[in-house]
Amino acid sequence: MKQTTRAPRPNQHERSQRQTAIDHLITRALRGVLTVPEAAVLADYVRAERLLADKTRRSLADTTRALQRHREAADAEIRRLEERIAQLAAHTEEAAA
């Protein structure tokens, strides 16, 4: 089966470049050769990643809450329909008797 390749999501390339730069800058920092401008870039990139992670976490929490509401509504509808089926079955039995 042939697997299709998806187009990159918006900002995916930018994020990949940022993560590569973070790795490189951290390596330089661990060697003790990070310059002040590089440290500023590293701080900016880490803040950007943290903001993205926070946004993603909030979005996932919203999705989880929406799914829970839908599950609860579906369960309530199933219970209502099961009760209705039981009523119709009892009514049919009474009519047959």
Side-chain angles (χ1 to χ4, degrees):
M1 177 189 283
K2 186 176 179 180
Q3 186 174 1
T4 59
T5 303
R6 291 183 172 175
R9 293 184 305 261
N11 301 325
Q12 184 176 9
H13 182 68
E14 178 183 316
R15 183 163 189 236
S16 177
Q17 286 181 323
R18 188 169 56 234
Q19 289 174 339
T20 300
I22 288 171
D23 289 341
H24 175 74
L25 292 169
I26 287 174
T27 300
R28 289 182 52 78
L30 291 172
R31 288 195 317 247
V33 293
L34 192 66
T35 66
V36 172
E38 288 172 330
V41 169
L42 178 59
D44 287 344
Y45 284 173
V46 168
R47 285 185 200 105
E49 285 296 309
R50 191 173 55 218
L51 288 173
L52 181 60
D54 291 345
K55 180 181 176 184
T56 301
R57 193 175 305 109
R58 282 190 303 272
S59 177
L60 289 173
D62 291 345
T63 300
T64 299
R65 283 190 295 274
L67 285 171
Q68 184 61 34
R69 284 191 309 273
H70 287 279
R71 272 190 219 105
E72 290 168 359
D75 288 345
E77 184 63 15
I78 288 169
R79 283 191 299 277
R80 188 189 69 76
L81 290 171
E82 286 173 342
E83 289 172 6
R84 181 68 179 135
I85 290 169
Q87 290 172 352
L88 289 172
H91 180 70
T92 304
E93 289 175 6
E94 289 173 6

